[in-house]
Structure formats: C-alpha cells, structure tokens
C-alpha cells in the first residue's frame, strides 16, 4: 500500500484496504464512494473482496523515528497501528537502518551486519524494546531489518536474518 504520511489515510482507506473493499487499480488519492464501504451484495463480490484482503501487515520505520514518539507523526502512526489490530491483524514491525548509527567509515563494516540476531547489540535491543513498548505489542513482533547494501558478497548472517523475518511474516499471515 501507499506509505504512511501526514496526508495519507485521512478517511476510511485503511479499513477499506483491510476489508478488501477497494477495487483493483484504486489509488490512495482516488475518492471513496459508499458502494466501496457497503457490505457485499453477492457471494461473488464477497469472494473477490476476500482475495483483495491483506493477510499480513508489516510496518517499516527508521530507527530515528523512535526518538520522537510524542510527535504528531508517531502518534498518528500509533493510531493507525491500533486500527489494524482492531481489525484482527497483528502487524510486524521492522526497524530499519540500525547499521547506520554505528560510527564506521563504511556501513558494510557495521558490527550488526556480522550477526543481526546477536543479543550483544545494545542499541538494537534498546530500539526494538522501545518500538514494542510504543506500539504496545510483544517484543517478538519487532525485528531489526538489516539489508544488503550491495551484491558484492553473500552474507550467511544477513540471509539467515532476512529468512527469519520472512518466515515470521508468512507464519503470521491469515
């Protein structure tokens, strides 16, 4: 879906997305009509809506966003997050770019890249706990997302880490 901003998701778009009520080709700036929000009138319409229903939700946020949890942006994000939970979907949160906070000449040399799953990354653990507390979800729903920066060399640690995130996403899909 379209990313979050202060201008997006001003009306019932989020609910309509999670109920599969938006027609194919609909865009976030398109108007919504009453037919989109009305209950399905036929079994075929119900089946089509079910096929458009998201089965999992992933929130991706930069670690620095957690430095201003009282700000307007984060408060709106939290409100949208709660709406999704109320619709029966427990989002997974990915906190990104944690490798950028390490003071190294090249982000590819950041310690977290050697093993993103290691528990000895104090900054990472603090940010993951902070995200879980802010959104009011279990710690196991929040992951550090450490991606490849280039394709010069494979990394077992990054592959394993990204595979575990993918596995968690697929496991939580309804």
């Amino acid at each position: 879906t379209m990313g979050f901003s202060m201008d997006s998701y001003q009306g019932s778009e989020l609910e309509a997305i999670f109920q599969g009520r938006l027609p194919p080709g609909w865009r976030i700036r398109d108007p919504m009509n009453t037919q989109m929000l009305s209950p399905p009138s036929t079994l075929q319409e119900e089946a089509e809506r079910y096929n458009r229903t998201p089965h999992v939700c992933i929130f991706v946020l930069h670690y620095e966003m957690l430095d201003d949890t009282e700000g307007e942006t984060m408060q709106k994000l939290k409100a949208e997050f709660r709406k999704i939970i109320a619709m029966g979907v427990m989002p997974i949160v990915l906190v990104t770019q944690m490798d950028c906070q390490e003071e190294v000449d090249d982000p590819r040399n950041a310690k977290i890249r050697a093993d993103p799953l290691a528990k000895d990354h104090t900054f990472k653990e603090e940010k993951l706990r902070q995200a879980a507390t802010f959104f009011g979800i279990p710690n196991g729903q929040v992951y550090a997302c450490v991606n490849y920066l280039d394709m010069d060399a494979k990394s077992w640690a990054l592959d394993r880490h990204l595979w575990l995130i993918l596995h968690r996403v697929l496991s939580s899909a309804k």
Side-chain angles (χ1 to χ4, degrees):
T1 64
M2 179 177 178
F4 170 82
S5 73
M6 291 305 289
D7 298 332
S8 61
Y9 303 106
Q10 296 291 323
S12 302
E13 301 94 346
L14 195 62
E15 292 87 348
I17 288 169
F18 275 87
Q19 295 169 358
R21 295 180 184 260
L22 300 178
W26 185 86
R27 295 174 186 235
I28 193 74
R29 305 271 187 243
D30 291 348
M32 295 184 63
N33 61 45
T34 54
Q35 182 184 2
M36 289 179 189
L37 301 175
S38 64
S41 58
T42 67
L43 188 57
Q44 180 180 353
E45 187 180 330
E46 178 69 26
E48 288 172 0
R49 286 184 178 186
Y50 178 77
N51 283 334
R52 292 191 301 261
T53 302
H55 299 284
V56 71
C57 178
I58 304 170
F59 265 65
V60 182
L61 65 140
H62 191 278
Y63 76 91
E64 289 179 335
M65 291 179 74
L66 293 164
D67 294 338
D68 184 23
T69 56
E70 297 302 317
E72 185 180 6
T73 300
M74 286 298 283
Q75 289 302 311
K76 181 178 180 193
L77 188 62
K78 187 177 190 176
E80 299 301 314
F81 193 92
R82 286 184 175 157
K83 285 181 189 177
I84 293 169
I85 291 174
M87 288 184 273
V89 177
M90 174 60 81
I92 292 173
V93 176
L94 300 181
V95 182
T96 65
Q97 301 207 350
M98 298 237 220
D99 52 330
C100 294
Q101 62 82 29
E102 291 185 36
E103 294 182 23
V104 293
D105 293 337
D106 185 343
R108 289 175 290 201
N109 298 327
K111 182 180 174 189
I112 194 170
R113 297 186 148 285
D115 186 2
L117 297 173
K119 298 290 185 196
D120 63 344
H121 304 295
T122 308
F123 179 82
K124 176 193 84 169
E125 296 301 319
E126 175 187 325
K127 287 295 179 186
L128 298 182
R129 274 192 302 276
Q130 187 180 2
T133 301
F134 176 73
F135 289 113
I137 59 173
N139 290 344
Q141 293 294 115
V142 183
Y143 295 86
C145 186
V146 181
N147 296 314
Y148 278 98
L149 297 176
D150 58 41
M151 294 305 292
D152 291 343
K154 292 284 291 165
S155 166
W156 164 247
L158 289 182
D159 287 347
R160 179 182 59 167
H161 175 66
L162 294 172
W163 181 86
L164 287 171
I165 292 172
L166 178 61
H167 177 71
R168 181 67 178 103
V169 168
L170 293 174
S171 298
S172 69
K174 0 189 246 186

